[in-house]
mmCIF file of all heavy atoms in Angstrom:
data_model
loop_
_atom_site.group_PDB
_atom_site.id
_atom_site.type_symbol
_atom_site.label_atom_id
_atom_site.label_comp_id
_atom_site.label_asym_id
_atom_site.label_seq_id
_atom_site.Cartn_x
_atom_site.Cartn_y
_atom_site.Cartn_z
ATOM 1 N N PHE A 26 -21.229 12.019 -12.092
ATOM 2 C CA PHE A 26 -21.777 10.753 -11.589
ATOM 3 C C PHE A 26 -23.267 10.897 -11.242
ATOM 4 O O PHE A 26 -24.046 9.982 -11.488
ATOM 5 C CB PHE A 26 -20.975 10.233 -10.392
ATOM 6 C CG PHE A 26 -19.696 9.551 -10.806
ATOM 7 C CD1 PHE A 26 -18.469 10.098 -10.494
ATOM 8 C CD2 PHE A 26 -19.718 8.357 -11.513
ATOM 9 C CE1 PHE A 26 -17.281 9.474 -10.882
ATOM 10 C CE2 PHE A 26 -18.548 7.723 -11.900
ATOM 11 C CZ PHE A 26 -17.323 8.286 -11.585
ATOM 12 N N LEU A 27 -23.651 12.041 -10.716
ATOM 13 C CA LEU A 27 -25.066 12.268 -10.383
ATOM 14 C C LEU A 27 -25.945 12.371 -11.625
ATOM 15 O O LEU A 27 -27.157 12.185 -11.547
ATOM 16 C CB LEU A 27 -25.226 13.516 -9.522
ATOM 17 C CG LEU A 27 -24.730 13.377 -8.080
ATOM 18 C CD1 LEU A 27 -24.767 14.725 -7.364
ATOM 19 C CD2 LEU A 27 -25.535 12.330 -7.323
ATOM 20 N N SER A 28 -25.349 12.619 -12.779
ATOM 21 C CA SER A 28 -26.121 12.746 -14.020
ATOM 22 C C SER A 28 -26.571 11.391 -14.582
ATOM 23 O O SER A 28 -27.449 11.336 -15.435
ATOM 24 C CB SER A 28 -25.306 13.495 -15.079
ATOM 25 O OG SER A 28 -24.279 12.673 -15.614
ATOM 26 N N TYR A 29 -25.972 10.308 -14.097
ATOM 27 C CA TYR A 29 -26.346 8.977 -14.583
ATOM 28 C C TYR A 29 -27.583 8.466 -13.849
ATOM 29 O O TYR A 29 -27.796 8.791 -12.677
ATOM 30 C CB TYR A 29 -25.205 7.975 -14.327
ATOM 31 C CG TYR A 29 -23.976 8.213 -15.152
ATOM 32 C CD1 TYR A 29 -22.834 8.772 -14.582
ATOM 33 C CD2 TYR A 29 -23.924 7.846 -16.497
ATOM 34 C CE1 TYR A 29 -21.684 8.981 -15.328
ATOM 35 C CE2 TYR A 29 -22.773 8.049 -17.248
ATOM 36 C CZ TYR A 29 -21.661 8.607 -16.662
ATOM 37 O OH TYR A 29 -20.523 8.809 -17.408
ATOM 38 N N PRO A 30 -28.390 7.608 -14.514
ATOM 39 C CA PRO A 30 -29.472 6.928 -13.786
ATOM 40 C C PRO A 30 -28.865 6.138 -12.622
ATOM 41 O O PRO A 30 -27.706 5.696 -12.700
ATOM 42 C CB PRO A 30 -30.073 5.984 -14.827
ATOM 43 C CG PRO A 30 -29.622 6.508 -16.153
ATOM 44 C CD PRO A 30 -28.312 7.216 -15.909
ATOM 45 N N GLU A 31 -29.611 5.961 -11.552
ATOM 46 C CA GLU A 31 -29.071 5.354 -10.333
ATOM 47 C C GLU A 31 -28.410 4.003 -10.569
ATOM 48 O O GLU A 31 -27.326 3.738 -10.049
ATOM 49 C CB GLU A 31 -30.163 5.212 -9.273
ATOM 50 C CG GLU A 31 -29.611 4.704 -7.951
ATOM 51 C CD GLU A 31 -30.667 4.598 -6.867
ATOM 52 O OE1 GLU A 31 -31.812 5.024 -7.083
ATOM 53 O OE2 GLU A 31 -30.321 4.071 -5.797
ATOM 54 N N ASN A 32 -29.042 3.125 -11.367
ATOM 55 C CA ASN A 32 -28.455 1.801 -11.584
ATOM 56 C C ASN A 32 -27.111 1.893 -12.297
ATOM 57 O O ASN A 32 -26.167 1.163 -11.975
ATOM 58 C CB ASN A 32 -29.416 0.880 -12.352
ATOM 59 C CG ASN A 32 -29.715 1.355 -13.762
ATOM 60 O OD1 ASN A 32 -29.711 2.543 -14.071
ATOM 61 N ND2 ASN A 32 -29.992 0.401 -14.639
ATOM 62 N N VAL A 33 -26.982 2.812 -13.235
ATOM 63 C CA VAL A 33 -25.723 3.006 -13.963
ATOM 64 C C VAL A 33 -24.690 3.649 -13.046
ATOM 65 O O VAL A 33 -23.523 3.247 -13.019
ATOM 66 C CB VAL A 33 -25.952 3.893 -15.219
ATOM 67 C CG1 VAL A 33 -24.632 4.195 -15.914
ATOM 68 C CG2 VAL A 33 -26.934 3.216 -16.162
ATOM 69 N N ARG A 34 -25.121 4.659 -12.284
ATOM 70 C CA ARG A 34 -24.220 5.341 -11.356
ATOM 71 C C ARG A 34 -23.567 4.345 -10.403
ATOM 72 O O ARG A 34 -22.352 4.382 -10.182
ATOM 73 C CB ARG A 34 -24.975 6.419 -10.575
ATOM 74 C CG ARG A 34 -24.090 7.181 -9.595
ATOM 75 C CD ARG A 34 -24.773 8.378 -8.948
ATOM 76 N NE ARG A 34 -26.050 8.077 -8.353
ATOM 77 C CZ ARG A 34 -27.226 8.529 -8.793
ATOM 78 N NH1 ARG A 34 -27.293 9.312 -9.851
ATOM 79 N NH2 ARG A 34 -28.347 8.221 -8.176
ATOM 80 N N LYS A 35 -24.349 3.411 -9.848
ATOM 81 C CA LYS A 35 -23.803 2.413 -8.917
ATOM 82 C C LYS A 35 -22.720 1.574 -9.589
ATOM 83 O O LYS A 35 -21.680 1.301 -8.991
ATOM 84 C CB LYS A 35 -24.914 1.504 -8.391
ATOM 85 C CG LYS A 35 -25.791 2.164 -7.372
ATOM 86 C CD LYS A 35 -26.861 1.207 -6.882
ATOM 87 C CE LYS A 35 -27.744 1.854 -5.833
ATOM 88 N NZ LYS A 35 -28.800 0.964 -5.356
ATOM 89 N N LYS A 36 -22.957 1.168 -10.827
ATOM 90 C CA LYS A 36 -21.985 0.338 -11.556
ATOM 91 C C LYS A 36 -20.716 1.121 -11.851
ATOM 92 O O LYS A 36 -19.604 0.620 -11.663
ATOM 93 C CB LYS A 36 -22.592 -0.197 -12.860
ATOM 94 C CG LYS A 36 -23.774 -1.112 -12.657
ATOM 95 C CD LYS A 36 -23.393 -2.367 -11.916
ATOM 96 C CE LYS A 36 -24.558 -3.328 -11.827
ATOM 97 N NZ LYS A 36 -24.214 -4.577 -11.168
ATOM 98 N N LEU A 37 -20.868 2.360 -12.303
ATOM 99 C CA LEU A 37 -19.690 3.174 -12.612
ATOM 100 C C LEU A 37 -18.914 3.531 -11.355
ATOM 101 O O LEU A 37 -17.680 3.547 -11.367
ATOM 102 C CB LEU A 37 -20.100 4.428 -13.390
ATOM 103 C CG LEU A 37 -20.674 4.171 -14.788
ATOM 104 C CD1 LEU A 37 -21.095 5.491 -15.432
ATOM 105 C CD2 LEU A 37 -19.694 3.421 -15.665
ATOM 106 N N LEU A 38 -19.620 3.798 -10.272
ATOM 107 C CA LEU A 38 -18.924 4.089 -9.009
ATOM 108 C C LEU A 38 -18.175 2.861 -8.491
ATOM 109 O O LEU A 38 -17.113 2.990 -7.890
ATOM 110 C CB LEU A 38 -19.895 4.620 -7.958
ATOM 111 C CG LEU A 38 -20.348 6.063 -8.173
ATOM 112 C CD1 LEU A 38 -21.459 6.439 -7.198
ATOM 113 C CD2 LEU A 38 -19.177 7.040 -8.062
ATOM 114 N N SER A 39 -18.694 1.671 -8.766
ATOM 115 C CA SER A 39 -17.955 0.461 -8.351
ATOM 116 C C SER A 39 -16.692 0.302 -9.200
ATOM 117 O O SER A 39 -15.654 -0.116 -8.687
ATOM 118 C CB SER A 39 -18.836 -0.788 -8.402
ATOM 119 O OG SER A 39 -19.128 -1.166 -9.717
#
Side-chain angles (χ1 to χ4, degrees):
F26 281 113
L27 288 173
S28 74
Y29 292 105
E31 185 178 354
N32 64 330
V33 175
R34 181 172 52 247
K35 285 181 179 179
K36 297 297 185 178
L37 294 178
L38 285 172
S39 71

